[in-house]
Amino acid sequence: MVGVLPSQSGTVSRRDYEDLVLKLHDIQAVKFGEFKLKSGIMSPVYIDLRVIVSYPEILLRVAEAMWDRVRGAAFDVMCGVPYTALPIATTMSLQHGTPMLMRRKEVKDYGTKKAIEGAFARGQTCLVVEDLVTSGMSVQETVAPLEAEGLRVTDVVVLIDRQQGGEARLAAQGLKLHAAFTLSFILDTLVAAGRVTPEVAAATKKRARSWPKNAVGAELLRLMARKQTNLSVAADVESADAMLALADAVGPSICVLKTHVDVFDVWTPAHAEKLQALAAKHDFLIFEDRKFADIGNTVSMQYGGGIYRIADWSHITNAHLVPGSGIIDGLKKVGAPKGRGLLLLAEMSSKGTLAKGDYTAAVAAAAEANQDFVMGFISVSPGSWPAGPGAPGLIHMTPGVQLAKGGDDLGQQYNTPDSVIGERRSDVIIVGRGVIAAADPAAAAKQYREAGWNAYLASLQEA
Ligand code: S5P
């Protein structure tokens, strides 16, 4: 095998790791940029490892640095998380002769449902190879189909651990994380090389801790940034089939599809599967707007079971805090092991809502205390909350949005995307009839996406 990295007693030295950090910085796989939340948070380190494929020597070093970290772990096959980690896994496979598998990002079709490609036997152990771990969510999306095929997964190797809860989250599932680098190591190395000031590095480490603690919240922010949309469409249409058709039509424009599946006369696991496939195809998250409102024990049954089995397919759901914080515990018991996120209703868009003042403040406090599972709020005017818009890292999603201010005859009140995102300081607009009642919902979604995202970018510049 090619000894690409200078090594002492067969291992990669600290110097080699530092050198590799500088090379990754040279090719801008690691750079500084900003992506802010309304509450003032940003992710100043921008890591995009896709560029590595253009630098074969660096790709080889990356693969060797990761291989070095999993020395001692036992595995029969390896599976790269699509897409960025695939060339890395391939390089590791070629260098060390360990066979590789591939997970399909979109399951091919509903007929064959082949999620894992390659030759393997049930009971074999599979190493998962990923470029970056933030919260651990995308790793989990790869582990699940591997385990469904009867493979054992015990170890995960990544190039960079962003140190935002991924290691603990994976450990809770019995997975050991091996990282070539932590974000702190990268920052320390860049400071030592004079490429980043100690002040920026310190601020970066501090800010990194304000990234959403809930995995779905973190994923939503990444998704918004890569897809350039803060539009959620409320798919309040007449049937599950119509909802699926709408999801396919507006999918390219949205970050979240919001559903009320209890308004359909038929809902089957096949509908849920098709919706999940559309979410993978178009890169959006699913939000079943169930508005739970019972004691913890009851909501855990309603969320995990029944006809709808919401926790099985919906990344996000929401709840009222009327029963007290036991409702969060009850939902978390079911949702946390499945990697789900919860929004708390802090305010409502409807006329005469009782969710205001002290109630809203109590919801903000409960969300802050439960950020591992609570990813944010349904809110209307977080910018005017007396104590500020809630803990940093929590996301605001706001319904009651149309291009013109107004309402319906049942109490709904509409504000414009500019008002909701600019003045009221929310993050995501939720639009139902503005899109679905339009003659061309796909075109309307494009329009709302543009209005929402422009308002978002404009308000970040002011912040
Ligand atoms: O306060 C609220 C909270 C929610 S989640 N007001 C709302 O309107 N919603 C939901 O947002 C509501 O259930 C519906 O699905 C959507 C608004 O739809 P539209 O047609 O009025 O835009």
Side-chain angles (χ1 to χ4, degrees), residues 18-46:
E18 288 167 351
D19 189 51
L20 186 51
V21 167
L22 299 181
K23 289 214 155 50
L24 291 170
H25 188 243
D26 286 339
I27 62 167
Q28 298 196 11
V30 176
K31 61 185 173 194
F32 290 79
E34 287 188 353
F35 184 69
K36 293 185 201 168
L37 262 185
K38 284 316 176 56
S39 35
I41 311 312
M42 43 190 139
S43 165
V45 183
Y46 188 72

Side-chain angles (χ1 to χ4, degrees), residues 234 236 258 260 289 291 348-349 378 399 412 414 431-433:
D236 300 335
K258 189 176 83 62
H260 282 301
D289 181 6
K291 295 190 182 69
M348 290 195 72
S349 62
I378 295 293
Q412 177 69 300
Y414 292 115
V431 183
R433 285 163 285 181

Side-chain angles (χ1 to χ4, degrees), residues 153-447:
V153 182
T154 53
D155 294 80
V156 176
V157 65
V158 301
L159 182 64
I160 300 174
D161 174 7
R162 288 195 71 132
Q163 297 171 290
Q164 281 159 25
E167 185 175 15
R169 184 190 179 85
L170 295 175
Q173 313 233 325
L175 298 171
K176 178 150 179 49
L177 179 67
H178 309 264
F181 308 118
T182 58
L183 184 58
S184 303
F185 180 84
I186 290 176
L187 287 167
D188 293 345
T189 304
L190 293 175
V191 169
R195 298 192 185 194
V196 169
T197 64
E199 293 73 28
V200 168
T204 302
K205 285 184 195 171
K206 204 164 138 225
R207 285 193 206 125
R209 284 198 295 273
S210 306
W211 191 254
K213 295 190 174 64
N214 174 263
V216 184
E219 176 56 19
L220 176 55
L221 286 193
R222 282 195 299 274
L223 198 164
M224 285 164 61
R226 72 174 170 258
K227 205 171 162 184
Q228 310 266 289
T229 173
N230 61 340
L231 171 65
S232 168
V233 164
D236 300 335
V237 290
E238 68 283 1
S239 68
D241 290 331
M243 182 273 287
L244 292 171
L246 177 74
D248 207 11
V250 302
S253 297
I254 61 175
C255 58
V256 173
L257 187 87
K258 189 176 83 62
T259 55
H260 282 301
V261 292
D262 58 359
V263 306
F264 305 142
D265 55 5
V266 184
W267 181 259
T268 65
H271 288 111
E273 249 175 66
K274 287 181 188 170
L275 179 57
Q276 287 177 296
L278 288 169
K281 172 179 168 192
H282 294 296
D283 194 19
F284 62 74
L285 295 173
I286 305 167
F287 166 19
E288 166 57 17
D289 181 6
R290 172 62 176 76
K291 295 190 182 69
F292 290 102
D294 214 317
I295 61 167
N297 184 57
T298 303
V299 295
S300 69
M301 295 192 291
Q302 292 172 318
Y303 183 31
I307 311 170
Y308 300 111
R309 308 193 65 84
I310 294 166
D312 285 351
W313 52 268
S314 186
H315 302 104
I316 305 168
T317 193
N318 56 353
H320 290 290
L321 196 65
V322 172
S325 64
I327 190 169
I328 301 175
D329 301 334
L331 292 169
K332 184 171 149 179
K333 201 170 111 185
V334 174
K338 295 182 188 286
R340 304 311 186 194
L342 180 69
L343 297 167
L344 293 177
L345 285 117
E347 293 174 306
M348 290 195 72
S349 62
S350 40
K351 204 164 173 219
T353 174
L354 305 180
K356 57 184 180 183
D358 289 349
Y359 180 81
T360 300
V363 173
E368 178 158 9
N370 290 280
Q371 288 180 66
D372 55 338
F373 187 52
V374 177
M375 58 182 276
F377 305 99
I378 295 293
S379 57
V380 175
S381 283
S384 39
W385 293 0
L394 291 171
I395 297 167
H396 291 270
M397 296 184 58
T398 298
V401 179
Q402 288 209 350
L403 291 174
K405 212 172 146 65
D408 66 10
D409 54 7
L410 294 172
Q412 177 69 300
Q413 307 174 112
Y414 292 115
N415 292 301
T416 62
D418 266 347
S419 162
V420 164
I421 300 300
E423 293 152 32
R424 295 157 184 268
R425 313 210 66 73
S426 184
D427 297 298
V428 175
I429 54 171
I430 300 177
V431 183
R433 285 163 285 181
V435 166
I436 62 181
D440 180 349
K446 274 192 196 151
Q447 234 184 330

